[in-house]
Amino acid sequence: MRTRILAAAMLFAAGAASQVALAGDLPPLKIGLMLPYKGVYAVPSEGIDRGFQVALAEYGNSVGGRRVEVVRADDELTPNVGVQQFNRLVQLEKVDLVAGVVSSSVGIAVSGLADKAAMPLVLVNTFADEITAKFCSPYVARTSFSANGFQYNSGKYWATHGIRTAVIMGPDYSAGHSFLDAFKRGFQEAGGKVVQEIWTPFQKTKDWGAALTQASNSGAQIIYSFYAGAEAVQLVKQHADFGLREKLPLVGDHWIYDQLNWSALGDLIVGPEFITTYLPTIKTEANERFVARYREMFKQDPEVNAELGYDNGKAIMLTLEKLGGRMPADKSQFIATMRGLVFDSPRGKVRFNASNSALLEKVYVVKIKKDPAGNLLPTYVDEFAGAEDLPGCTKSF
């Protein structure tokens, strides 16, 4: 009996060792991470990349016994460059999937490529509604949320909280129009009126004087705006220089008053109310784990861009885990598996709709205050639910 038990144990050990060896012999899983690492969105991209790293670090940078490698590419916020980089990642780097992408214009361009190449594309931002409507694909998912999901109920919120007239001001490209059109729909359906629309050339505007003068002469109660990165810093500073902080408040979202820009904005960050999908002070187990690991890795608190990057990496790793670390022969099954995920993220519960877009559970209204020691603190004001995506996806998955 003892001999048989020893023999069985030896066989089990040999089998286990063989499985480990086989797992170790498998090639690494390669993820192409495409972000605009230079230019106007370089700072938000750094936050996204860091959050992505935190998600992978939770898994020890491996899944199903396979090491996970990240191959980075800079799309330069330009669709043509994004197409070139996507093709390089797929054809030369032989990645198993592509993640990231900030610009909606780039996202739309590479979504078409992903569909043709049958290559999973897991978008971190690219908020334009068309991504999961007109350009939807069984090979494309978005882990953040749509422009309508974020901004439609924001319009309703401000219209029902004393704001009856607004100027909308934003960059003249797909994401700018998607965000502010969603705000306008919600605002006007709830009784508000957009009295003027001002669109500035994306990545080219440095002087907002003409736009701010138009807004100042409009008679509106607020400017509601979407800008990010360097353009947000320029707008906030010039808005203050024009003496409009009290006369015509600049209201918008977390990219206007991005935590990554606080050092550049100084005290201009204190006072305005804005909407955000994430606060590092949210008291949930998922968020507290995320904040602790982020602090450990980067010696600072995460902000909204880092949280979006984390959700992107987390959704990918959860999907790979469900698939045993193997990419299905039919790669649309990777996205179909992701579509079935429901998980607690630092921002709240994440689930996906039928066209592969993550939904937004809640949106927070916040303002920045100073504590007695002079530290800047995001302060909770209110919250409301995120909205649904716009319809428009006609493909059958």
Side-chain angles (χ1 to χ4, degrees):
M1 174 66 77
R2 185 178 180 185
T3 301
R4 287 199 299 271
I5 292 172
L6 287 171
M10 290 174 67
L11 284 171
F12 177 81
S18 175
Q19 288 180 358
V20 171
L22 286 172
D25 289 342
L26 289 172
L29 285 158
K30 296 178 73 174
I31 301 173
L33 182 60
M34 193 157 70
L35 295 168
Y37 286 101
K38 298 185 295 292
V40 66
Y41 286 173
V43 173
S45 293
E46 180 182 26
I48 290 169
D49 194 304
R50 287 179 169 185
F52 196 89
Q53 291 178 54
V54 172
L56 270 58
E58 283 187 359
Y59 288 81
N61 293 282
S62 69
V63 62
R66 297 178 68 180
R67 186 163 49 88
V68 176
E69 289 184 0
V70 177
V71 182
R72 290 172 171 80
D74 189 342
D75 62 37
E76 300 180 18
L77 278 178
T78 305
N80 288 342
V81 176
V83 167
Q84 294 167 9
Q85 293 289 14
F86 183 91
N87 287 332
R88 178 180 71 82
L89 290 170
V90 173
Q91 297 169 12
L92 297 180
E93 298 291 349
K94 306 295 183 184
V95 299
D96 294 284
L97 62 103
V98 178
V101 188
V102 169
S103 164
S104 290
S105 299
V106 174
I108 288 169
V110 297
S111 289
L113 286 181
D115 193 68
K116 290 178 183 177
M119 171 60 62
L121 173 64
V122 185
L123 298 166
V124 67
N125 286 7
T126 55
F127 304 102
D129 298 296
E130 298 94 325
I131 290 289
T132 46
K134 179 181 178 181
F135 300 111
C136 67
S137 165
Y139 295 96
V140 179
R142 171 170 50 202
T143 60
S144 53
F145 39 82
S146 68
N148 195 73
F150 187 30
Q151 295 283 3
Y152 175 77
N153 281 348
S154 176
K156 287 195 166 186
Y157 178 86
W158 295 109
T160 55
H161 284 73
I163 303 299
R164 311 307 295 168
T165 56
V167 171
I168 57 174
M169 183 188 298
D172 192 9
Y173 82 118
S174 53
H177 283 274
S178 291
F179 274 135
L180 295 178
D181 287 351
F183 170 85
K184 179 181 177 181
R185 284 192 299 273
F187 188 65
Q188 298 200 153
E189 285 179 24
K193 182 178 180 181
V194 171
V195 298
Q196 190 170 26
E197 299 181 22
I198 301 172
W199 304 100
T200 59
F202 181 47
Q203 297 191 79
K204 297 178 181 178
T205 304
K206 298 289 191 297
D207 183 353
W208 269 263
L212 289 168
T213 298
Q214 289 180 58
S216 181
N217 293 333
S218 70
Q221 290 173 269
I222 63 168
I223 300 172
Y224 193 88
S225 188
F226 160 74
Y227 287 96
E231 289 190 331
V233 173
Q234 293 161 5
L235 175 62
V236 172
K237 286 184 172 180
Q238 291 180 39
H239 174 262
D241 289 343
F242 268 66
L244 297 177
R245 278 170 65 86
E246 300 298 329
K247 175 186 175 184
L248 186 62
L250 179 62
V251 181
D253 57 38
H254 43 218
W255 288 293
I256 289 283
Y257 298 108
D258 198 328
Q259 186 174 336
L260 295 173
N261 294 332
W262 286 5
S263 60
L265 293 175
D267 285 348
L268 294 180
I269 194 68
V270 178
E273 292 187 356
F274 58 96
I275 62 168
T276 184
T277 59
Y278 175 68
L279 284 168
T281 53
I282 296 170
K283 298 297 183 184
T284 65
E285 185 178 343
N287 186 52
E288 288 171 352
R289 282 199 310 269
F290 171 56
V291 171
R293 187 175 287 272
Y294 195 91
R295 285 173 177 168
E296 179 185 345
M297 291 177 64
F298 301 108
K299 314 306 177 190
Q300 63 187 69
D301 280 351
E303 38 63 56
V304 67
N305 301 290
E307 198 282 329
L308 289 167
Y310 175 84
D311 286 347
N312 196 235
K314 182 76 170 184
I316 289 169
M317 296 301 282
L318 283 169
T319 305
L320 289 171
E321 186 176 51
K322 283 183 173 291
L323 294 169
R326 296 176 182 273
M327 184 63 69
D330 176 2
K331 293 186 176 182
S332 69
Q333 291 306 303
F334 177 88
I335 299 296
T337 302
M338 180 175 287
R339 189 191 312 141
L341 294 177
V342 178
F343 65 96
D344 291 317
S345 92
R347 77 174 190 234
K349 192 168 292 295
V350 171
R351 58 186 175 88
F352 291 80
N353 63 20
S355 56
N356 305 333
S357 183
L359 300 178
L360 190 55
E361 185 181 33
K362 63 177 64 176
V363 180
Y364 300 95
V365 182
V366 300
K367 67 190 305 181
I368 308 302
K369 295 182 178 180
K370 278 189 174 181
D371 68 12
N375 299 310
L376 296 172
L377 295 176
T379 304
Y380 175 95
V381 175
D382 206 347
E383 65 184 67
F384 54 86
E388 296 291 323
D389 282 8
L390 293 179
C393 180
T394 58
K395 292 185 179 180
S396 173
F397 294 4

